[in-house]
Amino acid sequence: MTDRLDLLYSDTEDDLRAAVRALLADRAGHTVLLDRIETDTPYVPGLWTSLATDIGAAGLLVPEKLGGQGASHREAAVVLEELGRAVTPLPYLTSAVVAAETLLALAAESAPAAELLAAVAGGGTVAVLAVPLSTAPDADPPQAPSVSTAPDADPPHAPSVAAVADATAADVLLVPRADGLYAVPAGEATVELQTPLDLTRPLARVTAEPGTGTRLAGPDAAREAVRRGLLAGAGLLASEQLGLAERCLEDTVRYTRERHQFNRPVGSFQALKHRMAQLWLDVVGARAAARAAADALARGAEDAPLTVAVAQAYCSKVAVRAAEECVQLHGGIGMTWEHPAHLALKRAKADQLAFGSAGRHQDAIAALADLPAPA
């Protein structure tokens, strides 16, 4: 792996993108999602198997000798761009990225972790790290539902944890405890569905009593493994945010070309041109930041935490702004339930708090880059 930063997409990544986009267009259009998001199971039946097993996306981060595809974070980032574009409800970020990266950090020293990692990489098992997705960054650690899950935060150790993303889809829950990390079968835990802002990414309260599950690692190894998983999650979440922002911009430009007022396309009005041009610049910047984060993680770069923090601090804001502009510039239709703009806006707002807020990442940038605060 080269030490040189590479923001361009390879032919392999382009082929992977085409395969994922075609699958989602065929099986998970917005009309399909709107029919499912108010149910207890927003996941499209069979879609996870098609993506994770048939395409092989679940094992992209896992070496071939451990049962995976032997690819990297760059390829996983492409998958997440497409999932972000379609606002698809799938446990890819939580299982194939965060959980897989956590298990990968333990696989060399823990046979149970290696065995579970192979099952996750094959797509037949969904594993979810039982930490809150959206939380306040400055909460007191014993208050598990309010503990930050930013990459530099300590994981919660309470038996009950709220706001765990995709827990309802999990076969195995990775539960941090004071004495290490445990793999708890979902049937041995209590998973209570909660009402999320983003209906395409279900949240649940997970209760796993002490004594349940298989111990994968001791406290020190578990802490480092969880932080590695959260770092990968934060870094590749930027790619999901990028895909969402790109789709919002494309849909908005297309609509303003077609929508006429005063016998002219509304997109020809100077004020709207300026707004969309500025949004295009923001999206280009987000692409550079997200690609840099994915590439830094793939290379194992020393400055990966800084690059990830930059990507999250920037991309989370761009995704929200792109979704807001999409709603507003679609006019009245953008405010309706039948139009997919609200799905993008809710996902963008929820993602803005996941794995640490933008403010939390800005603080991390200041610390990692040794930038003194204003006097």
Side-chain angles (χ1 to χ4, degrees):
M1 193 72 71
T2 178
D3 289 333
R4 187 171 142 191
L5 179 65
D6 182 6
L7 303 183
L8 301 179
Y9 296 99
S10 67
D11 291 342
T12 300
E13 291 163 9
D14 287 337
D15 290 343
L16 176 61
R17 179 192 307 284
V20 175
R21 185 174 297 186
L23 172 66
L24 298 182
D26 181 54
R27 303 275 297 280
H30 76 268
T31 55
V32 175
L33 300 188
L34 288 172
D35 287 340
R36 301 194 62 85
I37 56 173
E38 289 191 290
T39 70
D40 291 340
T41 54
Y43 309 105
V44 179
L47 184 59
W48 174 254
T49 299
S50 297
L51 177 70
T53 304
D54 297 345
I55 292 180
L60 290 175
L61 298 185
V62 182
E64 292 184 39
K65 64 180 180 181
L66 296 177
Q69 302 298 322
S72 75
H73 301 78
R74 291 173 56 92
E75 289 79 10
V78 168
V79 175
L80 281 164
E81 284 182 34
E82 293 306 309
L83 295 177
R85 281 180 62 91
V87 199
T88 309
L90 280 179
Y92 189 82
L93 179 66
T94 47
S95 182
V97 175
V98 177
E101 190 80 17
T102 301
L103 293 168
L104 188 57
L106 302 173
E109 304 295 333
S110 170
E115 182 178 349
L116 179 56
L117 177 62
V120 170
T125 296
V126 173
V128 170
L129 184 63
V131 297
L133 181 72
S134 303
T135 54
D138 56 352
D140 191 22
Q143 300 171 4
S146 300
V147 174
S148 170
T149 51
D152 59 346
D154 288 327
H157 297 145
S160 183
V161 181
V164 178
D166 295 321
T168 55
D171 301 299
V172 178
L173 296 159
L174 303 181
V175 180
R177 293 175 178 152
D179 63 336
L181 185 67
Y182 285 75
V184 179
E188 296 181 16
T190 301
V191 179
E192 302 169 271
L193 194 65
Q194 297 180 300
T195 302
L197 170 64
D198 174 16
L199 297 176
T200 65
R201 181 165 279 154
L203 302 179
R205 176 180 290 276
V206 173
T207 303
E209 297 297 337
T212 57
T214 301
R215 189 169 183 256
L216 301 178
D220 292 339
R223 186 178 303 109
E224 291 306 311
V226 168
R227 288 184 177 179
R228 176 172 162 178
L230 294 175
L231 181 67
L236 296 191
L237 178 64
S239 291
E240 178 182 291
Q241 292 163 330
L242 167 63
L244 185 151
E246 288 181 328
R247 178 63 177 272
C248 286
L249 176 59
E250 291 171 12
D251 286 352
T252 303
V253 170
R254 183 183 306 111
Y255 178 77
T256 56
R257 282 175 174 169
E258 297 170 352
R259 173 68 174 170
H260 281 65
Q261 192 172 28
F262 307 115
N263 206 30
R264 291 175 55 190
V266 296
S268 66
F269 299 151
Q270 194 71 8
L272 299 192
K273 285 182 178 180
H274 284 199
R275 287 170 66 169
M276 287 183 283
Q278 183 58 56
L279 186 56
W280 181 83
L281 291 173
D282 291 343
V283 170
V284 169
R287 185 182 303 116
R291 291 299 293 168
D295 189 68
L297 289 168
R299 292 183 290 112
E302 186 176 341
D303 65 349
L306 174 59
T307 309
V308 167
V310 170
Q312 264 309 300
Y314 188 77
C315 293
S316 63
K317 296 178 181 179
V318 172
V320 170
R321 182 167 177 271
E324 289 174 340
E325 290 285 77
C326 183
V327 171
Q328 187 171 26
L329 296 184
H330 273 79
I333 192 174
M335 301 297 294
T336 63
W337 184 260
E338 291 76 12
H339 196 276
H342 68 94
L343 298 177
L345 180 57
K346 292 169 186 174
R347 172 66 69 89
K349 290 298 291 184
D351 281 357
Q352 196 173 32
L353 297 178
F355 304 112
S357 65
R360 178 63 177 260
H361 289 291
Q362 288 170 343
D363 290 342
I365 293 169
L368 292 167
D370 194 22
L371 297 173

